[in-house]
Amino acid sequence: MTTNRSASRQRTTAETDISIALDVDGPRGEVRARTGLPFFDHMLDQIGRHGGFDLTVDATGDLEVDGHHTVEDVGILLGETFREALGLSLIH
């Protein structure tokens, strides 16, 4: 029996609008990260590439203020997406 360990989620706040798609089982570790923060995009790419899972992150945020809300909200949503893909209940 093969389990499909994938999920996609969206999060919209006053500061950000984010969508994430994740396939834990790859197959190729392909990542597309568009957050408006080049170094953060690079870090997300490394997580997916070296973790061997496919990841798509599209995020817009109040970068004119700073990158804090974008990074924070992507982290929140990425954790929730992993939990869903792995069949774990959300903490709330």
Side-chain angles (χ1 to χ4, degrees), residues 18 20 31 33-47 55 57 59 63 67-76 78:
I18 302 165
I20 295 179
V31 178
R34 296 181 184 154
T35 67
L37 300 165
F39 182 72
F40 189 43
D41 292 346
H42 172 70
M43 292 288 88
L44 291 167
D45 179 73
Q46 296 308 297
I47 290 169
L55 176 65
V57 178
L63 298 181
H68 172 88
H69 292 125
T70 299
V71 173
E72 178 180 42
D73 288 351
V74 166
I76 290 167
L78 185 57

Side-chain angles (χ1 to χ4, degrees), residues 1-74:
M1 180 177 161
T2 302
T3 302
N4 181 13
R5 299 188 310 165
S6 63
S8 61
R9 295 183 62 89
Q10 293 185 298
R11 176 181 173 91
T12 301
T13 69
E15 297 85 15
T16 62
D17 187 11
I18 302 165
S19 64
I20 295 179
L22 169 69
D23 184 344
V24 175
D25 298 310
R28 292 178 287 281
E30 292 182 354
V31 178
R32 187 187 86 219
R34 296 181 184 154
T35 67
L37 300 165
F39 182 72
F40 189 43
D41 292 346
H42 172 70
M43 292 288 88
L44 291 167
D45 179 73
Q46 296 308 297
I47 290 169
R49 181 183 315 247
H50 296 291
F53 52 83
D54 293 344
L55 176 65
T56 301
V57 178
D58 288 307
T60 57
D62 58 353
L63 298 181
E64 68 281 357
V65 174
D66 67 21
H68 172 88
H69 292 125
T70 299
V71 173
E72 178 180 42
D73 288 351
V74 166

